[in-house]
Amino acid sequence: MSYVVGLTGGIASGKTTVANLFNQHFGIDVIDADIIARQVVEKGSKGLESISSRFGPNILLSDGTLNRAKLRDIVFTCEENKTWLNGLLHPMIREKMKVDIAKASSQYVLLVVPLLVENNLQNLTDRVLVVDVDEQTQLQRTMERDKVNLGQAQSIIAAQASRAEKLAIADDVIKNNAKNKELLPQITELHKKYLELSMRNRSE
Ligand code: ATP
């Protein structure tokens, strides 16, 4: 079983940027919760079948894929539907993560989970790495990348676990306030540490 480093952080903190650097420089396999969340409801999946039998065929677009905007509206306006959907998808996502972890071939894997803290997925990981940014930088990067205004960016951030809550479960922290070039030295140090930890883990 691979050694699993959970990588988390708030919106636009730099998780994807960091994960790509681990992959490009050190060949580390990356498992992305956002991609898995889409796979479990792709066309032909059991997840999509369950959703369309509960909400009717109108929840599908004409090409048979999920109408995400419609589903978002449905769960946004009804707590019971939201609970039902989470009850369906969360176990599927967790199972798929386990399968992908088992398939990984690098010495350790990065499991990128934006809502690791909120969804309590730490128990799938051996260690948690938090990408941390100050709120000003986070707001700016969110507004620029997602073309949202200050109020929208603030409310997205407010709906997530706080910076302090994330840092409280961190074993390691990457600071991503400054420029990209300051990331690689931090990543290189962590990579060395994770190689050692994963080797120790194997021999135990
Ligand atoms: P989300 O979970 O919201 O998808 P994320 O945590 O994966 O976001 P990224 O997509 O890696 O974050 O980064 C968010 C934005 O900030 C991107 O546009 C990225 O190019 C930019 N960014 C990340 N790190 C830096 C940095 N060190 N310097 C400049 N820009 C950065």
Side-chain angles (χ1 to χ4, degrees), residues 152-170:
Q152 288 165 320
Q154 280 169 329
S155 64
I156 299 170
I157 292 170
Q160 298 187 336
S162 70
R163 192 177 169 192
E165 281 168 315
K166 290 193 178 93
L167 289 173
I169 62 144

Side-chain angles (χ1 to χ4, degrees), residues 10-17 34 114 141 145 176 178-180 183:
I11 181 169
S13 56
K15 298 176 291 297
T16 308
T17 306
D34 284 344
R141 287 181 186 161
R145 190 197 53 184
N176 192 22
K179 294 276 176 288
N180 261 334
L183 281 174

Side-chain angles (χ1 to χ4, degrees), residues 55 70-79 81-82 85:
F55 299 118
K70 195 162 202 173
L71 184 65
R72 236 189 335 266
D73 281 348
I74 289 176
V75 300
F76 192 70
T77 50
C78 174
E79 198 59 34
N81 283 334
K82 185 177 174 184
L85 188 68

Side-chain angles (χ1 to χ4, degrees), residues 18-29:
V18 166
N20 286 344
L21 287 168
F22 271 99
N23 180 266
Q24 285 158 9
H25 288 267
F26 304 113
I28 297 305
D29 290 334

Side-chain angles (χ1 to χ4, degrees), residues 39-77:
Q39 288 171 337
V40 298
V41 293
E42 70 194 4
K43 204 171 162 179
S45 64
K46 271 197 273 170
L48 189 57
E49 205 178 292
S50 305
I51 290 171
S52 63
S53 33
R54 177 159 173 123
F55 299 118
N58 281 345
I59 199 71
L60 303 178
L61 295 166
S62 54
D63 65 358
T65 59
L66 180 62
N67 186 339
R68 295 177 174 279
K70 195 162 202 173
L71 184 65
R72 236 189 335 266
D73 281 348
I74 289 176
V75 300
F76 192 70
T77 50

